[in-house]
Amino acid sequence: MTRVHARLAAFAACTLVALPLVSISPQAPPRVQYPATRTVEHVDTYNGTKVADPYRWLEAIDSTGVADWVRAQNAVTMPYLAALPGRDLLKQRITALYDFPRTSVPFWEGTRWFYTKNSGLQRQSVWYARLTLDGPEQVVLDPNQLSPDGSIALSGFSPSPDGKSLAYGQSEGGSDWVTYYVRDLGTGKNTADTVRWAKFSGASWTRDGKGFFYSRFPEPTKAQQLKVKLEHQTLYYHKLGTPQSADVRVYARPDHPSWFVFGGVDESGRYLFISTSPGTDRTEVYLADLGDPMHPNVRAAIRPVVTGQDANYFPLGVVHGRLYLQVDRDAPKRKIVSAPVATPGPSSWTTVIPEGAMPIEAASLVAGRIGTLSLQDVASVVRLYSLDGKLEREVPMPGLGSASGLVGRFDRPELFYSFTSPLQPATSFVYDAKTNTSRAFNPPKLTFDPAQFETERVFYQSKDGTRVPMFITHRRDLVKDGSNPTMLYSYGGFSISETPGFRPDVIAWLEQGGVYAVANIRGGGEYGEEWHRAGQFEHKQNVFDDFIAAAEYLVREKYTSKEKLAINGGSNGGLLVGAVMTQRPDLFGVAVPQVGVMDMLRYNAFTGGAAWATEYGASSDSAAFRYLRAYSPLHNVKAGVCYPATLLTTADHDDRVVPSHSYKFAATVQKVQSATPSCDRPVLLRVEAQGSHGYRPLDRRIAELADIWAFTAFHLGMKVRPPNAVVQ
């Protein structure tokens, strides 16, 4: 479910010119012959209502039958995509746009600075270290060496405070399951330490560097790994040099097996914070005083800070005997509070930074101060406060875009942030609080001319009159005549804010004359927790209404037309696309739902899906069943309707949103489309092998993006030009 991008230099002599369009003209594609998909007589009963599930067998994702069906689907989809006019040109251009050096924000741990760097087209970014910010660098860990094809993802990186060891996680196919290994930073060789079955967990070291805390689940069988329901997450402590079987069980909630349990040590190394959550929303916090950080008591007593899971609470750390937290209790735009660590409960809280007009997205204790990241109509605002809440300064941003917030340590003076916008790739900056100025750290070099494009922030009204922002990026010479192929993207859930950011592949679309729009719809966190709540549970239809209103705005203002409009989203955003294309199939020419949650009656039966009930509700509840069924994409496909040209993408190792969501939805829409003689729009399923929910090695990510953009361009009537006909 998360991103910062930015670019700082350009080709000095590049200009965008209007040249004749030279590739094959789009024409009506032949009707696709879909693989046969058998149906079964399966009916579920929800609160007295019977619901047929004819493709239930596709949920057996490890079975031979489903594997054969997936191969048959790919055997139709892959040749179709490969033959699309302009597909190879788009892949070539997207590859070139990704080919620039980029560096992450550095952080200090132990004895050196750590950061990632990608030379351009490396499948995964490489971790480096420096003793000083301007000193020579050395490779710490190159994840490209983990597997020859990039199928093993680096999914965790945590150096020890004593500078001697590194705990790093790796995942097969980018799965959420993580195995942690320990590397001796002196020799560069791995030790025997191995920690398995971690999920949604980092490795948090004790200050002495002799071990780390982590959260894991019980070991599943091989057959269960991609679909087992997650229960009994437990916090453990691993001591270096011992087997995992000897790890100390620190905290668990057997009385609430579905709760998530996380733990982390504060910067001082003295305090362990433990958080629990019933899902993706609302937490409670506990802490343990580990005593002397160089001789920590990992079995120390655990006491509550705030319980009841009535709001969201995030501990920032302990300074001078006071605990600082970011909370949204009685403050939907969030505030910062503090209390004596000896009596940390709500009755002792003092407001340090009160709730304001702008929602606080994140906060941190840095350089002896409190740093906050807020959003003003979705654009980032970064501020520094004293520990007593006095505003010291606002950090000047390079433009209208997204910042990471301030990164640093409380006990060091260095401050960093990352900034991005739709026309700037992510750039790391070193911030000087004394002069209130910033300088780029290893700035990237551009592979396109940003001066030829512009981004507008507009506002439109949703169905109920709510004012919703949207960012629209296009060529400066755009003519609003309704003829421009346009991609509309959004997410709309889990309090995730879709802030304006950079994507190299979008530049390739813009160069072809396309428009790219991102709608900041309800369900996200752009305006705080109230904005989020307005898109949860029985209010989820607001999310779809906001997205539909964004599409209608683009048509009304003549950026595009219905026939030239495509929609895209992933995960919860895939649900968004699925719901909207079934509610308003007349409004779009193309739909691209990626790794979407399509079966809203059964989503909580698989892997981490039960955690999403705190966002959606569950079909076992009679009231929730009614509104879930009303918008569930799988259950709202109607016979005789011609749906937009649709490309569903998923991955066979997606253990977050299991691929059966996309399988069942694809089979259902394919059946309807095939039975509608007047409808020649294809419904294709693209299944990535050895892929996961979000991870792809860069070369495979580029191939998938080329397929998506080529499919979109063809079915919106866009003629793809070769790169040298676009930029000279």
Side-chain angles (χ1 to χ4, degrees):
M1 315 191 159
T2 253
R3 43 191 144 236
V4 280
H5 315 80
R7 270 192 187 171
L8 296 184
F11 290 133
C14 290
T15 55
L16 197 66
V17 294
L19 295 178
L21 307 181
V22 297
S23 70
I24 301 172
S25 298
Q27 55 186 329
R31 291 184 70 88
V32 175
Q33 296 298 313
Y34 303 113
T37 305
R38 66 181 175 89
T39 59
V40 296
E41 295 293 331
H42 188 100
V43 176
D44 291 312
T45 302
Y46 298 91
N47 306 289
T49 301
K50 295 185 182 300
V51 179
D53 193 356
Y55 299 114
R56 174 65 68 88
W57 68 275
L58 288 172
E59 292 181 0
I61 56 179
D62 292 325
S63 70
T64 301
V66 173
D68 290 343
W69 182 85
V70 168
R71 278 192 291 270
Q73 289 283 337
N74 272 346
V76 171
T77 299
M78 296 309 191
Y80 183 102
L81 297 173
L84 287 171
R87 191 268 181 191
D88 292 340
L89 294 177
L90 284 166
K91 183 180 178 183
Q92 175 187 350
R93 183 58 182 146
I94 293 170
T95 300
L97 287 163
Y98 265 100
D99 194 8
F100 66 96
R102 46 198 179 272
T103 304
S104 69
V105 172
F107 70 90
W108 177 269
E109 190 62 72
T111 58
R112 64 201 94 177
W113 296 99
F114 295 92
Y115 57 94
T116 64
K117 190 168 69 173
N118 193 305
S119 61
L121 296 177
Q122 290 174 289
R123 283 172 166 156
Q124 298 185 65
S125 295
V126 179
W127 277 95
Y128 289 84
R130 295 180 179 184
L131 294 177
T132 64
L133 281 176
D134 298 318
E137 63 185 15
Q138 66 180 60
V139 175
V140 176
L141 180 63
D142 183 355
N144 300 293
Q145 310 259 335
L146 298 178
S147 60
D149 61 354
S151 61
I152 295 179
L154 181 67
S155 48
F157 185 93
S158 181
S160 64
D162 64 359
K164 295 180 180 180
S165 304
L166 167 70
Y168 70 93
Q170 62 182 54
S171 305
E172 181 180 348
S175 163
D176 286 333
W177 290 111
V178 179
T179 299
Y180 275 95
Y181 300 93
V182 176
R183 178 162 295 187
D184 185 318
L185 291 177
T187 66
K189 296 181 179 180
N190 282 11
T191 68
D193 296 273
T194 305
V195 168
R196 303 184 188 278
W197 309 119
K199 201 169 201 178
F200 311 132
S201 171
S204 183
W205 291 87
T206 46
R207 187 69 176 271
D208 61 355
K210 294 182 179 179
F212 54 84
F213 295 94
Y214 69 97
S215 296
R216 61 159 290 186
F217 289 92
E219 179 178 354
T221 65
K222 186 174 182 179
Q224 293 175 324
Q225 289 178 26
L226 292 180
K227 54 186 179 182
V228 65
K229 191 173 182 178
L230 298 179
E231 291 185 325
H232 299 290
Q233 189 177 36
T234 301
L235 181 65
Y236 284 90
Y237 177 77
H238 176 73
K239 182 179 180 181
L240 297 189
T242 65
Q244 186 175 9
S245 59
D247 288 356
V248 177
R249 184 174 181 269
V250 177
Y251 191 77
R253 291 303 296 262
D255 54 330
H256 294 285
S258 64
W259 284 12
F260 292 101
V261 177
F262 308 106
V265 181
D266 81 327
E267 183 181 302
S268 73
R270 179 172 175 177
Y271 296 98
L272 169 68
F273 296 114
I274 299 172
S275 296
T276 71
S277 175
T280 57
D281 192 23
R282 304 184 184 275
T283 61
E284 57 185 16
V285 179
Y286 299 80
L287 69 77
D289 186 342
L290 303 180
D292 182 353
M294 299 311 295
H295 300 90
N297 175 17
V298 299
R299 300 178 187 271
I302 296 168
R303 51 198 177 96
V305 174
V306 56
T307 60
Q309 296 173 341
D310 60 345
N312 292 292
Y313 306 94
F314 301 100
L316 306 181
V318 177
V319 176
H320 307 318
R322 293 192 69 85
L323 168 66
Y324 288 80
L325 301 108
Q326 174 186 306
V327 307
D328 61 21
R329 181 178 184 176
D330 302 322
K333 289 187 171 61
R334 307 180 189 97
K335 62 184 178 181
I336 309 300
V337 301
S338 75
V341 72
T343 56
S347 62
S348 299
W349 289 359
T350 299
T351 298
V352 179
I353 301 174
E355 179 186 26
M358 297 183 294
I360 297 174
E361 278 275 284
S364 55
L365 297 173
V366 289
R369 305 173 178 88
I370 303 171
T372 64
L373 168 65
S374 298
L375 294 180
Q376 186 170 40
D377 287 330
V378 198
S380 293
V381 176
V382 178
R383 289 173 170 172
L384 271 175
Y385 293 84
S386 64
L387 290 178
D388 60 4
K390 180 182 178 182
L391 176 63
E392 293 189 355
R393 61 183 55 83
E394 186 170 301
V395 180
M397 291 289 102
L400 188 71
S402 307
S404 62
L406 291 170
V407 176
R409 291 179 61 91
F410 185 80
D411 60 4
R412 292 187 66 95
E414 299 92 350
L415 290 168
F416 306 88
Y417 64 90
S418 181
F419 180 83
T420 181
S421 75
L423 300 175
Q424 289 184 283
T427 302
S428 298
F429 289 91
V430 182
Y431 174 65
D432 187 332
K434 293 181 180 179
T435 61
N436 202 28
T437 58
S438 303
R439 65 177 177 86
F441 174 75
N442 285 6
K445 297 179 180 179
L446 288 175
T447 49
F448 73 105
D449 181 6
Q452 305 302 318
F453 310 101
E454 65 177 332
T455 298
E456 304 174 70
R457 180 174 56 185
V458 302
F459 299 88
Y460 64 91
Q461 279 197 343
S462 189
K463 182 179 180 179
D464 62 359
T466 298
R467 177 177 180 265
V468 183
M470 177 164 55
F471 289 81
I472 308 172
T473 305
H474 52 76
R475 285 170 49 160
R476 287 189 181 275
D477 60 359
L478 178 82
V479 177
K480 295 181 183 178
D481 59 2
S483 69
N484 304 293
T486 298
M487 177 66 86
L488 172 62
Y489 174 90
S490 196
Y491 185 79
F494 296 92
S495 195
I496 293 174
S497 301
E498 279 295 338
T499 55
F502 179 79
R503 282 178 48 181
D505 59 298
V506 169
I507 301 301
W509 175 252
L510 301 177
E511 289 176 339
Q512 296 293 335
V515 176
Y516 189 72
V518 178
N520 300 105
I521 60 182
R522 282 173 284 185
E526 288 87 346
Y527 290 100
E529 197 57 22
E530 289 178 343
W531 194 254
H532 173 215
R533 301 288 180 218
Q536 281 186 306
F537 302 118
E538 70 274 18
H539 305 300
K540 189 68 176 177
Q541 185 59 42
N542 288 335
V543 177
F544 312 136
D545 290 342
D546 289 358
F547 198 57
I548 290 168
E552 291 174 334
Y553 174 91
L554 292 168
V555 172
R556 183 171 63 252
E557 297 299 319
K558 297 190 180 302
Y559 287 92
T560 191
S561 62
K562 295 178 181 180
E563 298 76 18
K564 297 284 186 178
L565 179 58
I567 50 175
N568 174 229
S571 194
N572 175 76
L575 160 64
L576 169 68
V577 172
V580 168
M581 68 176 276
T582 53
Q583 292 184 15
R584 288 293 307 275
D586 62 300
L587 190 52
F588 315 105
V590 170
V592 186
Q594 297 182 259
V595 294
V597 187
M598 300 302 194
D599 185 347
M600 294 306 296
L601 302 186
R602 285 184 52 75
Y603 75 86
N604 55 335
F606 307 102
T607 61
W612 313 334
T614 59
E615 181 79 7
Y616 300 135
S619 59
S620 57
D621 175 78
S622 59
F625 167 74
R626 288 191 292 274
Y627 65 72
L628 288 170
R629 191 183 187 190
Y631 72 75
S632 176
L634 180 65
H635 301 93
N636 284 279
V637 178
K638 296 178 175 62
V641 175
C642 186
Y643 290 98
T646 302
L647 176 61
L648 295 104
T649 70
T650 187
D652 61 359
H653 276 64
D654 188 343
D655 55 353
R656 194 175 306 174
V657 179
V658 290
S660 55
H661 281 280
S662 294
Y663 297 171
K664 291 164 69 175
F665 187 69
T668 303
V669 185
Q670 284 177 354
K671 180 180 180 180
V672 167
Q673 219 84 325
S674 297
T676 309
S678 61
C679 186
D680 59 5
R681 294 171 168 179
V683 177
L684 301 178
L685 174 67
R686 186 189 191 280
V687 183
E688 184 79 12
Q690 289 295 308
S692 66
H693 189 64
Y695 171 74
R696 306 281 188 279
L698 181 57
D699 54 341
R700 287 163 56 187
R701 188 188 322 157
I702 289 172
E704 183 177 41
L705 290 168
D707 287 344
I708 289 171
W709 287 116
F711 182 88
T712 302
F714 184 81
H715 289 286
L716 294 186
M718 173 187 278
K719 302 175 183 180
V720 178
R721 298 168 286 182
N724 61 1
V726 178
V727 180
Q728 290 189 341

